[in-house]
Amino acid sequence: MKRQMILIAAFALMLLSCEQRPTNVTIEDALPPIYPDYTGVTIPVDIAPLNYCADGAERMDVVVTGSKCGEIIANGKYADFDIDEWKELVSNNVGGELTFLTSVKREGRWIQYRPFAIHVSDDSLSDFGVVYRKLAPGYETFSHIGIYQRDIHTFDEYPIVESTAAPGECMNCHAFKGTDPSTFQLHFRGLHGATLIQKDGVRRWLDTKTDSTIANCMYPYWHPSGDYCAYSLNLVRQRFFTRGEDYIDVFDRASDAVILDVRSNEILLSDVLCTADFETFPVFSSDGRTIYYCTSKDYQEAEDYEKLRYNLCRVSFDPQTGKIGDDVDTLLNVSSVEKSISFPTPSHDGRFLLYTYSNHGVFPINNCDADLWLYNIATGETYPLDAVNSNESESYHSWSTNSRWIVFCSRRDDGLYSRLFIAHIDEDGKASKAFILPQRNPLEYYSRSHYAYNVPEFVLRKVEYSAQEAFQELFYDKREGVVPVHR
């Protein structure tokens, strides 16, 4: 017993000796040069700790004080907060602020920077996490690609499906019914290409190309009932550049929009959504009675692809009959001012549409000019989310279950790789400064990662999915066909 107490005391002394608190501090009247930049952000009470680093730091000492109560300290090579202490501090300061006092040791000298604050929102983010695809930037062959889910309350990431289990197969376009992971779909492209529909653990594999449609189904969006899924049919082309800010542009050579009735495997075609012009990115309203989509006039010559500029439109939909309306309502005619809209995404409370606004085209993740804009469905007002946007591309966005948080892709971190950012949207549609998805050691994680993120989707619960069983079924090549029906 005595020996055990001696060992415990020795271990405690060792820990104490490792903790180097600031002494002989020099005060610097400037915000700390930290990565990631968390200064002035708004966070949910449920988020993982906002660990951060400082360039060239031998050691850091960070004291976080709650405006209502509590204090925690992180002392080490970087600010690595204890998860339990972080959760307690944040939960005790909902609606208040956390103030961060950062001291950095460089060349044996401590420098203390001006404190900064973050706001703890009253709006929680109780969703389990985010599902996203990660892939190495490349445009000719499939390298390592995976779809993963991240617990946003911790730093835990779990693979859903990875290309290492199916070499040569590309997987993309995962989509959930709202944020419910019990109903989702996933595309596979390659020799064994198919569309996977999974509802309540039951998997079905579809071949969605027909003699009456121009391509396989792409870019899905579920009806709130789970009975329908909206798709666009796209013939996609790429163009590469050796000069300028943009190094690649992706554009359609043709596109239509269709609705799949997942109960009958019928592809619902409409003269409104399948025209000589381009229709793409159809999505259902939160009540399931409206289809929003993007449309552009066709272009004549291949070199005129930059003239592709998409407007935001809507048409009615009857969930009882599957009937698509005949009258098109153009909500935003931005092609008239040489702008383009893509990825319209309704908030789950039915109040807003979040979309990407760019100079041309419909695949803005590669365009530096792409920003996020919000459309108020009730008033018709639309405006940029200035607090969220940057000088790099913003795109691929989705809403949390309570419609108070968005997650989106941005290249602002290094101009090359798209990363995930989260931002708060209040009840009036005002956005707060976005923050990057937290990591345990963010500088090490993001600097060593050679993968880009895209298509982030909030999910209420962890996705239950057997990759082993799914791949066995994928290679069996047993597919259900779909039947085109005009309504």
Side-chain angles (χ1 to χ4, degrees):
M1 183 66 178
K2 183 177 180 181
R3 176 180 172 81
Q4 185 179 14
M5 292 182 66
I6 292 174
L7 288 174
I8 293 174
F11 183 68
L13 286 172
M14 182 183 70
L15 290 177
L16 186 62
S17 65
C18 290
E19 184 178 288
Q20 303 173 23
R21 299 303 305 279
T23 57
N24 301 320
V25 174
T26 299
I27 305 298
E28 181 78 23
D29 187 22
L31 290 173
I34 61 173
Y35 177 85
D37 176 16
Y38 289 133
T39 61
V41 301
T42 295
I43 66 167
V45 67
D46 323 86
I47 200 70
L50 301 190
N51 293 351
Y52 59 87
C53 314
D55 186 38
E58 300 168 8
R59 199 163 190 86
M60 294 180 64
D61 185 90
V62 179
V63 180
V64 187
T65 306
S67 61
K68 296 184 178 180
C69 66
E71 179 180 283
I72 61 174
I73 298 174
N75 184 285
K77 181 68 175 176
Y78 63 97
D80 183 12
F81 300 104
D82 178 86
I83 288 184
D84 291 334
E85 292 181 355
W86 170 268
K87 288 182 177 179
E88 181 179 2
L89 180 68
V90 177
S91 62
N92 287 334
N93 288 277
V94 173
E97 292 188 339
L98 303 179
T99 299
F100 292 70
L101 182 62
T102 305
S103 299
V104 178
K105 188 178 184 181
R106 295 191 186 90
E107 298 179 351
R109 188 169 66 95
W110 281 101
I111 301 174
Q112 185 181 98
Y113 292 90
R114 189 168 71 235
F116 68 89
I118 66 173
H119 177 69
V120 183
S121 174
D122 294 313
D123 297 317
S124 67
L125 182 51
S126 55
D127 302 56
F128 160 77
V130 180
V131 174
Y132 44 81
R133 187 170 72 150
K134 287 197 299 187
L135 71 165
Y139 311 100
E140 297 300 328
T141 61
F142 301 139
S143 56
H144 183 78
I145 298 174
I147 296 177
Y148 303 86
Q149 52 186 330
R150 161 69 188 273
D151 183 347
I152 57 176
H153 314 295
T154 69
F155 300 107
D156 297 331
E157 181 186 71
Y158 309 91
I160 296 176
V161 54
E162 294 180 297
S163 59
T164 50
E169 301 293 320
C170 174
M171 64 262 331
N172 64 346
C173 292
H174 55 276
F176 304 91
K177 181 176 73 69
T179 58
D180 180 3
S182 66
T183 299
F184 76 91
Q185 80 96 65
L186 177 63
H187 289 323
F188 289 87
R189 290 188 294 177
L191 182 61
H192 303 279
T195 294
L196 168 64
I197 301 288
Q198 178 170 309
K199 296 186 70 175
D200 299 320
V202 178
R203 290 181 298 275
R204 298 166 53 217
W205 298 87
L206 306 183
D207 177 1
T208 59
K209 178 67 175 70
T210 75
D211 293 338
S212 301
T213 52
I214 62 174
N216 285 297
C217 291
M218 300 173 64
Y219 304 109
Y221 194 92
W222 283 94
H223 191 271
S225 68
D227 293 336
Y228 304 95
C229 198
Y231 292 97
S232 61
L233 314 176
N234 305 73
L235 297 179
V236 180
R237 298 291 183 266
Q238 297 175 338
R239 178 161 290 194
F240 298 87
F241 306 97
T242 58
R243 297 179 180 179
E245 294 180 329
D246 299 329
Y247 50 88
I248 181 175
D249 207 341
V250 183
F251 56 96
D252 283 333
R253 196 61 193 93
S255 64
D256 292 324
V258 299
I259 307 299
L260 171 66
D261 186 330
V262 299
R263 301 164 298 179
S264 63
N265 284 5
E266 292 179 323
I267 291 282
L268 309 183
L269 306 178
S270 163
D271 292 338
V272 167
L273 298 180
C274 300
T275 72
D277 294 329
F278 292 7
E279 295 84 24
T280 192
F281 298 140
V283 297
F284 292 106
S285 59
S286 61
D287 64 4
R289 305 193 66 83
T290 300
I291 300 171
Y292 298 100
Y293 65 100
C294 301
T295 182
S296 172
K297 295 294 184 182
D298 193 2
Y299 58 98
Q300 301 302 314
E301 304 295 336
E303 58 268 21
D304 291 335
Y305 75 95
E306 288 188 348
K307 295 180 181 178
L308 272 175
R309 294 187 172 94
Y310 291 76
N311 297 320
L312 178 65
C313 297
R314 70 180 171 192
V315 66
S316 65
F317 179 73
D318 185 345
Q320 300 301 318
T321 63
K323 171 66 177 176
I324 300 167
D326 298 320
D327 297 324
V328 176
D329 182 9
T330 301
L331 300 177
L332 295 174
N333 182 1
V334 299
S335 62
S336 61
V337 292
E338 298 188 347
K339 295 293 182 180
S340 187
I341 288 176
S342 56
F343 298 118
T345 307
S347 59
H348 302 300
D349 62 7
R351 300 184 61 215
F352 300 106
L353 272 173
L354 183 65
Y355 64 90
T356 300
Y357 190 72
S358 57
N359 288 338
H360 74 277
V362 75
F363 296 98
I365 194 170
N366 298 306
N367 300 340
C368 296
D369 55 77
D371 285 331
L372 294 181
W373 283 52
L374 204 65
Y375 175 79
N376 187 313
I377 295 174
T379 67
E381 179 188 9
T382 190
Y383 50 89
L385 297 182
D386 291 331
V388 165
N389 293 320
S390 72
N391 292 328
E392 297 291 341
S393 168
E394 274 77 48
S395 66
Y396 284 138
H397 40 270
S398 72
W399 294 86
S400 65
T401 303
N402 64 358
S403 301
R404 286 293 176 268
W405 302 90
I406 59 171
V407 59
F408 63 95
C409 292
S410 176
R411 295 185 186 271
R412 71 185 67 187
D413 200 32
D414 59 10
L416 178 61
Y417 293 98
S418 54
R419 311 293 192 200
L420 300 190
F421 287 77
I422 297 173
H424 180 252
I425 307 291
D426 69 16
E427 61 181 6
D428 297 321
K430 182 180 179 181
S432 298
K433 179 180 176 179
F435 60 92
I436 199 168
L437 182 68
Q439 303 292 347
R440 171 76 71 183
N441 185 337
L443 183 59
E444 180 178 280
Y445 181 92
Y446 287 118
S447 64
R448 292 187 178 183
S449 173
H450 299 294
Y451 294 96
Y453 291 77
N454 64 25
V455 197
E457 295 278 344
F458 281 113
V459 286
L460 269 173
R461 300 176 302 279
K462 191 174 181 180
V463 179
E464 300 298 332
Y465 173 80
S466 173
Q468 182 178 4
E469 292 178 4
F471 277 128
Q472 289 176 347
E473 296 166 358
L474 176 69
F475 291 122
Y476 288 157
D477 286 329
K478 293 182 179 179
R479 307 289 185 257
E480 299 177 23
V482 297
V483 180
V485 176
H486 285 269
R487 294 245 176 119

